[in-house]
Amino acid sequence: MTRNVYRPDGSNADLSKARQTDLYVAVIRGTRTDASQSAQALVVDLLPAGFEIETATVSKGRSTTDYSWLPELTDVTYTEQRDDRFIAALDLKNGTRDFTLAYIVRAVTPGEFKYPALVVEDMYEPETTGRTAIGKLVVAPR
């Protein structure tokens, strides 16, 4: 599992220099070690206290911002944006090895925050799981 954060133009974001009201695109990528069977995966990405989800669905063609730099996104069976997390359920067919998701966040609260780990697990085989490291985030006032 990886989670990378980009600016809306596709350039890498420096989360130690985020500013209040700035938009970012969180891109989640995962690779299954065994793609021989289908899987139903649940992705839960907890947000740092300084971020809020702007939108849980990124549209490449119907937006004022051009997100054509994003890779092909995986179809999801369910997404939810809560105050503190992004949730996506995936139905990964037999042979599907990689998946990519994206959502947009806005920096809203100034301060220094921890960026919680991203977690993914197979809903019917919970011993099959992945987790990222905890990060740091600094949001400066505008």
Side-chain angles (χ1 to χ4, degrees), residues 13-27:
D14 182 354
L15 293 182
S16 67
K17 297 178 182 175
R19 295 194 58 201
Q20 200 172 14
T21 72
D22 285 351
L23 281 178
Y24 298 96
V25 180
V27 178

Side-chain angles (χ1 to χ4, degrees), residues 81-101:
Q81 63 185 60
R82 295 187 182 174
D83 289 343
D84 66 340
R85 69 192 68 200
F86 167 78
I87 301 169
L90 304 155
D91 188 9
L92 301 169
K93 305 290 184 209
N94 184 2
T96 303
R97 185 169 181 82
D98 301 313
F99 61 90
T100 304
L101 307 170

Side-chain angles (χ1 to χ4, degrees), residues 4 20-22 31 33 38 42 44 50-51 58 64 67 80-81 85 88 94 103 105 108 112-113 118 127 132 136 141:
N4 295 304
Q20 200 172 14
T21 72
D22 285 351
T31 301
T33 55
S38 61
L42 184 67
V44 179
F51 275 3
V58 177
T64 56
Y67 295 110
E80 185 174 337
Q81 63 185 60
R85 69 192 68 200
N94 184 2
Y103 65 96
V105 295
V108 293
E112 294 182 27
F113 308 101
L118 162 72
E127 66 276 4
T132 64
K136 291 182 181 181

Side-chain angles (χ1 to χ4, degrees), residues 59-67 104:
S59 174
K60 290 188 183 182
R62 297 178 302 193
S63 174
T64 56
T65 304
D66 178 20
Y67 295 110
I104 301 170

Side-chain angles (χ1 to χ4, degrees), residues 3 26 28 43-47 53 84-88 103 115-119 132:
R3 173 188 52 218
I28 298 167
V43 176
V44 179
D45 192 10
L46 297 173
L47 296 176
I53 295 178
D84 66 340
R85 69 192 68 200
F86 167 78
I87 301 169
Y103 65 96
Y115 205 143
L118 162 72
V119 177
T132 64

